Amino acid sequence: QVQLVESGGGLVQAGGSLRLSCAASGPTFSRNNMGWFRQAPGKEREFVAAIGWIGSSTYYTDSVKGRFTISRDNAKSTLYLQMNSLKPEDTAVYYCAASRVLTVATMRGENSYDYWGQGTQVTVSS
């Protein structure tokens, strides 16, 4: 069982930066692949980024490539999402998720993840 708690969201102006954190409890964080999703008002939840359990493999949706960086610290059982050059269209609730088994083909699907956090709000003003 993995419990996930996101933090670091807030209000920021366009062009600014935020770093989201996802603290995990449970003994198996280091063996889980991790992902970030987001859900904007009136829209479906969408994949943002994923990272393998070792941390050497990272994947991003096209709209955030070059602006967002996913990373993890297994010693601290924490997942991060560094978000730079934020745009108003990045406004959403951001969720972290954990997956015991993840592939390149499945990582964008919500059903591929076993555990979810409660989400943290990110609002980017223009």
Side-chain angles (χ1 to χ4, degrees), residues 40-112:
K43 295 187 177 181
E44 294 185 351
R45 189 153 56 182
E46 65 172 354
F47 170 81
V48 175
I51 187 168
W53 64 277
I54 295 177
S56 58
S57 299
T58 58
Y59 307 90
Y60 301 91
T61 193
D62 286 346
S63 62
V64 308
K65 283 181 181 177
R67 300 189 298 124
F68 290 12
T69 302
I70 188 172
S71 62
R72 65 190 298 162
D73 186 336
N74 286 343
K76 296 183 178 179
S77 295
T78 303
L79 175 73
Y80 302 100
L81 185 67
Q82 177 68 44
M83 305 186 296
N84 299 328
S85 302
L86 283 162
K87 304 176 181 180
E89 51 263 43
D90 295 317
T91 295
V93 177
Y94 283 71
Y95 300 88
C96 65
S99 173
R100 288 166 293 184
V101 179
L102 204 62
T103 68
V104 173
T106 64
M107 64 181 177
R108 299 174 186 273
E110 292 185 54
N111 292 338
S112 299

Side-chain angles (χ1 to χ4, degrees), residues 6-28:
E6 301 95 335
S7 61
L11 174 64
V12 64
Q13 289 187 332
S17 298
L18 282 175
R19 188 175 81 155
L20 304 184
S21 298
C22 173
S25 62
T28 61

